Amino acid sequence: MNLEDHIRSVPDFPRPGILFYDISTLLQNAEAWKVTVDRLAKEIEPYKPDRLIGIESRGFLVAAPLAIRLGIGLTMLRKKNKLPGKTVSVSYDLEYGTDTIEIQADAIGKGQRVVLMDDLLATGGTAAAALKLLRGVDAKVVAASFIIELKFLSGRNRLDTPVHALIGYDE
């Protein structure tokens, strides 16, 4: 199955000049979504992760069914002040400003093998911040996995872990 057939591209969203790759059409097709999860599982299983890490918010959608399929847990990385209890955070630069992501301080055991998950890899800024955050809580990040990679933005060059993407766009 060609998964690209199930990704809608939306021009000029969220602002003019941006071509947005919308996975909602993929999620709406049960067969295409199952194939997506099956292919992600095939890529991730060899790493034998203890936990999947989903980046807010579409990363949760990607990691949740995969965690069930692999029989492992899911930990959420969320935006600032969205998680209860003690948290650990990292701030990072965006094109216009900064953002902060957090993890609960007790969410990952020292040395646990984790795979970082999100729907899309673009410039790599959020994923690089997530790697820094995970290593700061002593997780062993064994890979990062995405449904879509915007190859022309070279985001994988900012990640010092194996990177997998099911679909790659060159422009």
Side-chain angles (χ1 to χ4, degrees), residues 48-71:
K48 300 185 183 334
D50 300 309
R51 186 87 48 87
L52 297 181
I53 310 295
I55 299 175
E56 186 168 343
S57 66
R58 290 182 301 266
F60 303 163
L61 297 171
V62 177
L66 193 56
I68 292 168
R69 167 84 183 270
L70 297 176

Side-chain angles (χ1 to χ4, degrees), residues 52-161:
L52 297 181
I53 310 295
I55 299 175
E56 186 168 343
S57 66
R58 290 182 301 266
F60 303 163
L61 297 171
V62 177
L66 193 56
I68 292 168
R69 167 84 183 270
L70 297 176
I72 60 177
L74 162 66
T75 296
M76 299 180 292
L77 296 186
R78 302 223 42 204
K79 294 186 179 186
K80 190 173 183 172
N81 298 321
K82 299 287 185 179
L83 291 170
K86 185 177 178 190
T87 60
V88 178
S89 65
V90 66
S91 294
Y92 59 102
D93 292 327
L94 298 169
E95 190 175 352
Y96 300 104
T98 62
D99 206 350
T100 301
I101 54 174
E102 296 182 326
I103 189 171
Q104 290 171 313
D106 60 355
I108 301 290
K110 184 176 183 172
Q112 277 194 303
R113 298 171 59 82
V114 302
V115 173
L116 181 66
M117 310 272 331
D118 207 352
D119 68 320
L120 183 133
L121 175 62
T123 64
T126 302
L131 291 178
K132 181 178 178 182
L133 179 61
L134 290 166
R135 290 178 178 138
V137 295
D138 295 321
K140 181 178 171 118
V141 183
V142 294
S145 183
F146 307 89
I147 296 173
I148 299 168
E149 177 183 5
L150 304 181
K151 293 180 177 182
F152 60 95
L153 294 176
S154 304
R156 74 171 46 227
N157 295 342
R158 297 181 68 181
L159 310 181
D160 59 351
T161 193

Side-chain angles (χ1 to χ4, degrees), residues 1 3 6 23 26-38 40 58 61-63 65-66 147:
M1 174 181 293
L3 295 177
H6 301 279
I23 67 163
L26 177 69
L27 295 167
Q28 292 169 14
N29 183 306
E31 183 181 347
W33 184 234
K34 182 184 181 316
V35 168
T36 300
V37 172
D38 290 346
L40 288 168
R58 290 182 301 266
L61 297 171
V62 177
L66 193 56
I147 296 173

